[in-house]
Amino acid sequence: MMSSVPTIMPTYGRLPVSFERGKGACLFDADGNRYLDALAGIAVCGLGHAHPAVTDAIQRQAETLLHTSNLYEIPLQTQLAARLCEISGMDNVFFANSGAEANEAALKIARRYGNERGIDNPQVIAMEGSFHGRTMATLTATGNRKVQASFEPLLGGFLRAPYNDIPAITNIAANNSGVVAIFVEPVLGEGGVQIPADDYLPKLREICDDRDWLLILDEVQTGNGRTGRYFAYQHTNILPDVVTTAKGLGNGVPIGACLARGTAAETLVAGTHGSTFGGNPLSCAAALAVITELTDGGVIERAAELGERIKNALVEQLEGLNHVRDIRGKGMMIAVELDNPCTDLIQKALAKRLLLNVTTDTVLRLLPPLNLTDDEADEIVEIVTSLVQAAGS
Ligand SMILES: *Cc1c(COP(=O)(O)O)cnc(C)c1O
């Protein structure tokens, strides 16, 4: 049973519940009922709800200055960019307000990089099963027909490869001269928490190096500690040329970032891109507080450890059940894949006051706050176990 509000465009099927306030990993409805949040606003509230340091940063900044303009220096934006570059190994940053917009900036870098090298029809390789956003360029890059259907004409300039398939990329390379970039998620998020081989990113890096292509990573979902490193590529020893992030960066305050290195960092010059709101003082103050908490507070290490704990507990409870196809995860991106569609588990979990998500119809997905308590982690395991067990009977 999904509800709808007549004055809201029905782009989302909404669950019949709303929340009045939150604290840590818990949300409360108007009657004071407590829900355990194992979705965190789709990987946004990594520090949980109403985190005091983030609240404090927002309050102080709101009292001081919300917005000026990118026509002026914005010291908080400069500070945030420096912090992100230090963490990522990138050289500079463009700030946007969402994941899709961060990706738009990355795709504009790829096209301009190509055009500047005399490639007048530059092509970007994007993956099957990927999700990159809902704007025209990002839905074209997205490897899911459901996201694209009825929005034709799509943009030109994209080639498609299966995820986690290196031979497919070398095959494309052999047959196309206009490729300028590979655009890829380090773990498919909306595409069902698909975790590629450990050497997938290093091999993509090598292919890009050999051909002067840009390696562009979409870390909109995997970034900001979600997988147990600040960025998921930091599980390997490679650096991308461009990396985008958004979701967890502001813990709920809208902000996106496109980070670049080397030639890619020199591609967008004055007049080639912009954003009215991007990187304004309020969003940057929030993001700086988030990064400080994530990195100084040991939250990311804790996410790596807790993620393993939750995944292992689920394996222990659910492994061997006939209808359970796979249990996998990286940090706090955790999935239980069933052999049948299981979207009904969203409602069943809600009835048990647990918020979770199902992607690609058969993948139960957990994206909890990174700073869960041990008890909250155990509670998630217990409820998910009972839901999955019942789904098989
Ligand atoms: C959510 C998501 C996006 C889109 O982000 P928005 O903020 O909704 O525009 C892009 N890429 C990935 C990998 C995502 O998970």
Side-chain angles (χ1 to χ4, degrees):
M1 170 204 18
M2 297 281 178
S3 61
S4 66
V5 184
T7 49
I8 303 288
M9 287 192 194
T11 58
Y12 284 87
R14 292 174 198 271
L15 292 159
V17 63
S18 70
F19 304 106
E20 205 173 64
R21 66 190 178 86
K23 186 88 199 128
C26 296
L27 285 167
F28 300 88
D29 67 16
D31 298 326
N33 295 308
R34 166 192 177 271
Y35 295 76
L36 184 55
D37 186 0
L39 186 58
I42 318 185
V44 168
C45 305
L47 294 171
H49 301 283
H51 189 284
V54 181
T55 304
D56 186 56
I58 294 168
Q59 278 177 346
R60 282 165 189 267
Q61 194 55 44
E63 283 166 7
T64 311
L65 188 63
L66 290 181
H67 179 84
T68 54
S69 165
N70 282 305
L71 297 172
Y72 310 105
E73 300 285 344
I74 303 176
L76 283 165
Q77 189 184 114
T78 312
Q79 262 182 60
L80 177 59
R83 195 73 189 89
L84 282 169
C85 288
E86 187 187 343
I87 290 170
S88 64
M90 298 292 112
D91 293 334
N92 61 15
V93 187
F94 174 83
F95 286 105
N97 314 287
S98 65
E101 282 175 274
N103 286 339
E104 286 280 342
L107 293 167
K108 284 182 72 172
I109 289 174
R111 285 197 165 183
R112 216 175 133 80
Y113 171 84
N115 278 295
E116 282 182 340
R117 302 165 85 82
I119 299 169
D120 48 20
N121 189 16
Q123 306 286 312
V124 173
I125 302 177
M127 306 307 157
E128 287 171 12
S130 63
F131 181 79
H132 298 296
R134 300 286 193 160
T135 63
M136 282 310 306
T138 58
L139 76 82
T140 300
T142 291
N144 178 348
R145 274 301 298 160
K146 277 191 203 159
V147 173
Q148 299 171 335
S150 80
F151 296 109
E152 292 80 7
L154 303 181
L155 271 65
F158 289 93
L159 298 166
R160 189 70 63 197
Y163 192 63
N164 194 24
D165 186 340
I166 294 294
I169 305 284
T170 49
N171 191 40
I172 289 173
N175 293 293
N176 296 273
S177 55
V179 177
V180 293
I182 296 177
F183 183 38
V184 62
E185 293 163 85
V187 174
L188 292 187
E190 302 311 298
V193 192
Q194 302 293 340
I195 302 162
D198 288 345
D199 62 356
Y200 184 53
L201 292 184
K203 283 187 170 159
L204 292 179
R205 179 70 272 174
E206 227 177 277
I207 292 171
C208 288
D209 285 342
D210 287 350
R211 294 170 176 79
D212 283 336
W213 297 354
L214 300 178
L215 179 61
I216 305 177
L217 298 183
D218 178 347
E219 296 231 26
V220 169
Q221 185 161 155
T222 53
N224 309 294
R226 179 54 55 187
T227 72
R229 293 279 201 283
Y230 195 94
F231 288 107
Y233 69 80
Q234 293 170 331
H235 290 282
T236 73
N237 57 12
I238 65 130
L239 284 179
D241 299 291
V242 179
V243 59
T244 60
T245 194
K247 289 192 164 93
L249 182 55
N251 210 57
V253 174
I255 182 167
C258 174
L259 291 66
R261 182 175 65 94
T263 314
E266 294 160 10
T267 303
L268 293 181
V269 296
T272 58
H273 199 39
S275 168
T276 298
F277 294 131
N280 82 8
L282 182 74
S283 62
C284 290
L288 276 164
V290 169
I291 292 177
T292 300
E293 282 307 305
L294 286 175
T295 55
D296 297 355
V299 175
I300 298 177
E301 294 75 12
R302 170 89 178 138
E305 175 196 310
L306 262 178
E308 274 301 295
R309 175 193 167 114
I310 293 172
K311 182 178 68 180
N312 292 340
L314 289 171
V315 167
E316 198 172 297
Q317 299 288 331
L318 300 172
E319 201 176 36
L321 292 181
N322 271 332
H323 63 297
V324 176
R325 189 173 286 170
D326 192 26
I327 299 159
R328 57 180 175 265
K330 199 152 193 137
M332 293 289 246
M333 276 179 101
I334 301 164
V336 180
E337 181 171 356
L338 303 187
D339 64 358
N340 269 304
C342 61
T343 43
D344 60 310
L345 292 185
I346 297 170
Q347 297 262 8
K348 288 178 174 155
L350 188 64
K352 292 179 185 281
R353 307 237 163 97
L354 176 69
L355 307 180
L356 51 69
N357 178 247
V358 170
T359 59
T360 64
D361 292 335
T362 56
V363 177
L364 187 161
R365 177 172 60 155
L366 303 173
L367 297 165
L370 308 180
N371 55 0
L372 291 176
T373 64
D374 287 351
D375 286 348
E376 288 162 346
D378 292 345
E379 196 180 338
I380 291 172
V381 170
E382 191 185 308
I383 300 174
V384 169
T385 296
S386 72
L387 290 168
V388 172
Q389 281 171 342
S393 53

